[in-house]
Amino acid sequence: MKILHLNAGNETGGGMSHILSLLNMLDHDEVVLGVLEDGEMFHKARELSIDTVNFKQSFPYDLSVLFHIKRYIENENIDMVHTHGPRANVLMNILKPSLSIPWILTLHSNPDDDFMGHGVKGSMFAKLHKCAIRQADHCLAISESFKKLLHTIGVANEKISTIYNGIDFNVLPNQNSYREELGFVDSDFLIGMVARLEPVKQHELAIESFAELNKKNPNTHLVLIGNGSREHELKQLCSQNNLERHVHFFGHREDVSSILPLMDVTLLTSKSESFPLVLLESARARVPVITTNVGGVPQLVPSNKYGWVTECEDLTKTLHLAYEKNKDERQVMGDRFYHFARSRYSSNHLAQQVTKIYDIMYKLPIEVESHV
């Protein structure tokens, strides 16, 4: 069986980590990653020796790429297509009537949030994306909340499987990393937040809540890892709150796994998520988390033994609770979090579950409706 995984190729965060982690655990002779543009994902996949093809879409609405994708599927005897992300899903929906192979998609994010802040055009793309999702032969939901979301979109229950995210817990952080290298000292209380600087991540909530903590505790620092369209706006917000020396914009980093263990807690303030990989990365680093109650968070942080699941209006209070814990107490929480997540959400377990779905779908007959 040969499976083409199709993605826009512009992922840099949790979506990219999920796809590459899955592909790396699957048989490399049976999978190929197809991307639509030359981005970080393309090069990282090559570094992992994953068979990769760039279909070179000229611009996001370039439909001529459909011909190249279809020809590749036919010439390479692809048995199944697995799409990730709105652009890949919409393109596959156009191709589907002319193909006689199964189409599986993974829902990584809420379609209504994918184009947040893009006005009428964003609303139109969200509708196109939902239409595409309904046409897939099978949908993988990365959390129970996303399974419910698929129901509301109109996907039948028998076409949905819930398969939680996973990461490789055998990847160890750099044990020689020190706070001093990042410009901090041991007495500083560090809050790490790994998230794209985009509206859905609600960085303004993190910054404003942190400002209240920092007023009474000047040794506190908020470390923001990630880039995005809101960087200038968020830096202005920090300036308004006199936080220039306490909120640090690290941009996109390749060494997140080495930075996270240096944090006292990690923070996630997203409006919506599926099953946040950054929380799994925090668990691997043995660092407790503070997170909004979104997506699969309740499954990953089922009690306050591992961290804090909070409502937006209670975030300042929760930051104070984390600060008031001593270092040993936070370390115990982090160790518990590590063992809990490792036993349930490994990349190997993810690959085994997905492979079972492939085996089932491969045996089902697929009808060809028409030709393009």
Side-chain angles (χ1 to χ4, degrees):
M1 185 186 342
K2 190 144 189 188
I3 303 158
L4 171 65
H5 285 252
L6 187 63
N7 177 258
N10 58 356
E11 297 274 3
T12 58
M16 179 180 72
S17 297
H18 171 95
I19 296 167
L20 294 183
S21 179
L22 172 61
L23 291 177
N24 200 37
M25 292 303 298
L26 297 173
D27 186 338
H28 284 203
D29 291 331
E30 296 185 352
V31 296
V32 57
L33 172 63
V35 298
L36 303 174
E37 57 184 75
D38 185 2
E40 182 180 350
M41 177 182 287
F42 179 81
H43 299 284
K44 282 188 173 293
R46 286 285 179 89
E47 291 171 6
L48 293 170
S49 299
I50 296 168
D51 190 11
T52 311
V53 57
N54 182 1
F55 291 112
K56 298 181 180 179
Q57 191 178 28
S58 299
F59 53 94
Y61 317 117
D62 173 21
L63 297 183
S64 67
V65 74
L66 291 169
F67 169 77
H68 302 293
I69 296 172
K70 187 177 183 220
R71 184 173 61 180
Y72 182 87
I73 289 171
E74 293 171 343
N75 291 345
E76 298 297 323
N77 297 313
I78 299 296
D79 298 298
M80 190 177 305
V81 178
H82 187 160
T83 56
H84 307 263
R87 204 192 315 178
N89 293 341
V90 171
L91 289 175
M92 187 57 193
N93 186 37
I94 299 172
L95 275 177
K96 183 179 186 291
S98 68
L99 299 175
S100 58
I101 59 176
W103 168 29
I104 297 172
L105 69 78
T106 296
L107 187 67
H108 291 272
S109 55
N110 187 327
D112 288 324
D113 294 332
D114 287 331
F115 304 100
M116 184 183 295
H118 290 268
V120 175
K121 185 185 293 186
S123 298
M124 181 185 70
F125 290 148
K127 289 178 181 178
L128 284 173
H129 187 204
K130 289 178 185 178
C131 179
I133 291 168
R134 287 192 288 270
Q135 301 307 313
D137 295 308
H138 203 79
C139 297
L140 304 185
I142 307 180
S143 68
E144 282 299 318
S145 66
F146 269 42
K147 180 177 182 178
K148 294 177 182 177
L149 176 59
L150 284 166
H151 286 156
T152 64
I153 291 173
V155 180
N157 190 63
E158 61 269 19
K159 290 174 59 176
I160 306 172
S161 296
T162 303
I163 297 180
Y164 293 114
N165 245 331
I167 63 171
D168 187 354
F169 278 89
N170 294 317
V171 174
L172 299 176
N174 182 2
Q175 300 297 320
N176 297 317
S177 297
Y178 301 98
R179 286 187 167 198
E180 289 77 6
E181 296 174 2
L182 300 178
F184 304 112
V185 297
D186 285 342
S187 59
D188 288 333
F189 182 83
L190 305 184
I191 304 167
M193 183 171 176
V194 183
R196 292 174 293 112
L197 305 181
E198 301 297 341
V200 70
K201 302 300 182 179
Q202 300 190 128
H203 284 81
E204 68 280 4
L205 173 62
I207 292 169
E208 290 167 355
S209 299
F210 170 75
E212 295 300 315
L213 174 69
N214 184 255
K215 284 179 183 177
K216 297 181 180 179
N217 307 285
N219 68 322
T220 55
H221 296 265
L222 176 60
V223 179
L224 303 180
I225 303 173
N227 52 24
S229 63
R230 300 190 68 201
E231 181 174 350
H232 178 68
E233 173 189 352
L234 294 172
K235 285 182 175 179
Q236 283 188 320
L237 179 61
C238 292
S239 178
Q240 292 167 11
N241 285 277
N242 298 315
L243 293 173
E244 295 97 329
R245 296 174 58 192
H246 295 274
V247 178
H248 310 270
F249 290 79
F250 275 28
H252 177 67
R253 299 284 297 235
E254 296 289 339
D255 57 347
V256 172
S257 63
S258 295
I259 293 176
L260 285 181
L262 305 178
M263 301 295 111
D264 290 285
V265 294
T266 56
L267 177 63
L268 182 70
T269 57
S270 296
K271 179 180 182 292
S272 73
E273 289 280 353
S274 53
F275 195 78
L277 271 174
V278 66
L279 299 190
L280 287 177
E281 290 173 342
S282 184
R284 184 170 60 188
R286 299 175 186 255
V287 176
V289 299
I290 300 173
T291 174
T292 46
N293 190 0
V294 291
V297 163
Q299 284 76 46
L300 184 54
V301 191
S303 79
N304 58 11
K305 293 192 299 182
Y306 314 104
W308 296 266
V309 180
T310 183
E311 301 301 327
C312 294
E313 59 270 20
D314 296 325
L315 181 56
T316 299
K317 177 182 176 182
T318 307
L319 287 172
H320 277 94
L321 288 174
Y323 180 80
E324 289 164 4
K325 292 274 187 183
N326 64 47
K327 185 175 181 179
D328 290 340
E329 290 175 319
R330 288 193 300 270
Q331 186 60 61
V332 169
M333 293 177 72
D335 288 341
R336 285 199 202 109
F337 192 26
Y338 168 82
H339 291 293
F340 176 82
R342 184 187 179 108
S343 66
R344 292 164 174 81
Y345 306 116
S346 70
S347 53
N348 184 56
H349 188 241
L350 167 67
Q352 289 175 353
Q353 290 180 298
V354 172
T355 299
K356 289 179 182 178
I357 300 298
Y358 290 162
D359 290 339
I360 293 170
M361 296 303 299
Y362 183 63
K363 297 172 184 176
L364 294 178
I366 305 295
E367 295 183 359
V368 181
E369 299 172 6
S370 61
H371 295 275
V372 294

